[in-house]
Amino acid sequence: MKNTYTTIISLLIILGIFGCKNDDNEVVTDDQSTVGICINGIAGGVYPCNGLDLVSRIPLSEMSANSANDSWGWTDPLDNKEYAIVCLNNGTAFIDISIPEAPVYLGKVPTATSNSDWRDVKVYKDHAFIVSEASSHGMQVFDLTRLRNVTSPPETFTADTRFTGFGSAHNIVINEDSGFAYAVGTSRSDTYAGGPVFVDIQDPKNPKEVGGFLSGGNQPYSHDAQVINYNGPDTDYTGKEILIGSNEIELVIADITDKNNPITISTISYDNVGYAHQGWFTENQRYFLLGDELDETRVGFNTRTIVFDFEDLDNPKFHMDYTGTTASIDHNGYVKGNKLYLANYRAGIRILDISDIANKNISEISFFDSYPSNNNADFNGAWNVYPYFNSGNIVISDIESGFLLVRETLP
């Protein structure tokens, strides 16, 4: 008896949605997009792979953009339909992936000011919050429930509101458990020198600035951060709202529970610092996995993930380095369960097994290379991945290739 996945593929081929294979195991559809199961290390006739299939893709040309950057996702609570959100140089695109093999580009919210290669989005209470390094951009807020009623895609959407308490920002961080957004990488000349600006978004269409954080460490500018309601091993901080800032030359750990009095708990750096870029906690909040964006080029080793032991937030310690299988530069990584899903620029998405991280054992278990030309240390290819859909579909936003949807190969 065929498994469910095979049955679906067969039905889609019959219906003409999924197309048919050519001699290179490439699946060709009417719009010339390619999808394919990972067989003998290749998917879609082009992409090197191991354990990940290409489900679908939408090129930049279809979204009227020149490049893609960040991405996120939204699941509609009414019907569990899944939507990919892809940031572009000229706006933010919304894609209906409820039929993963036949995604629908619904339209975009154009940039608030000028175009930029840096745009970021996160989701809270069925709203998308969008920032950019475009001058005077501020934060756009878009009600995602509007995507339920798109009758003639693609549409050009307008933001529901725009918050202008800051101008440009490199990134937006949201703690969904507290209802606060944190704009990071704002102007270094602002009050917080590029450190997080606190924005209350509990009423999504009426965001309110409620302060910010100026680190007591050596570098206040936060390139990225993770903010959580803490429930980790350090019981001194149980229930506190904790920020981990990737601050170029160091990590900063801060207690930001009291928005009027944020406190630097500690800082930690490491050997061969290039640029402390972005990191994520393990789900038990014991270990923190950091990506350094410039160490591969400045020092010359393969992809490196630096792991810290945060058992004691007042006394963080270096735990281990994981060295990847390619020379490519790591970018954004997210933990789900016992896996790290890492956007690895020219090496595409790399999925790492971190189940034995306590014993300093990390290994690569699968990959999908969205930039097949080479795995050199340069700034092309996979910018971001979003692995949190219940379906198991994984979004890749690729600088040159736009939107790709992949999923783990089934037996």
Side-chain angles (χ1 to χ4, degrees), residues 108-145:
K108 77 169 73 166
V109 172
T111 182
T113 54
S114 58
N115 292 351
S116 173
D117 290 332
W118 292 273
R119 195 174 308 279
D120 194 77
V121 62
K122 297 294 185 298
V123 170
Y124 172 71
K125 280 189 176 179
D126 304 325
H127 287 72
F129 297 82
I130 305 161
V131 300
S132 174
E133 287 201 11
S135 178
S136 303
H137 185 279
M139 180 178 72
Q140 296 169 307
V141 182
F142 177 75
D143 187 341
L144 293 164
T145 63

Side-chain angles (χ1 to χ4, degrees), residues 49 68 72 162 167 184 190 192 207 221 260 293 299 303 333 335 340 343:
C49 60
W72 209 246
R162 180 175 162 220
V184 296
D190 288 348
Y192 307 108
Y221 180 94
N260 295 314
E293 194 176 20
V299 182
T303 304
V335 172
L340 175 68

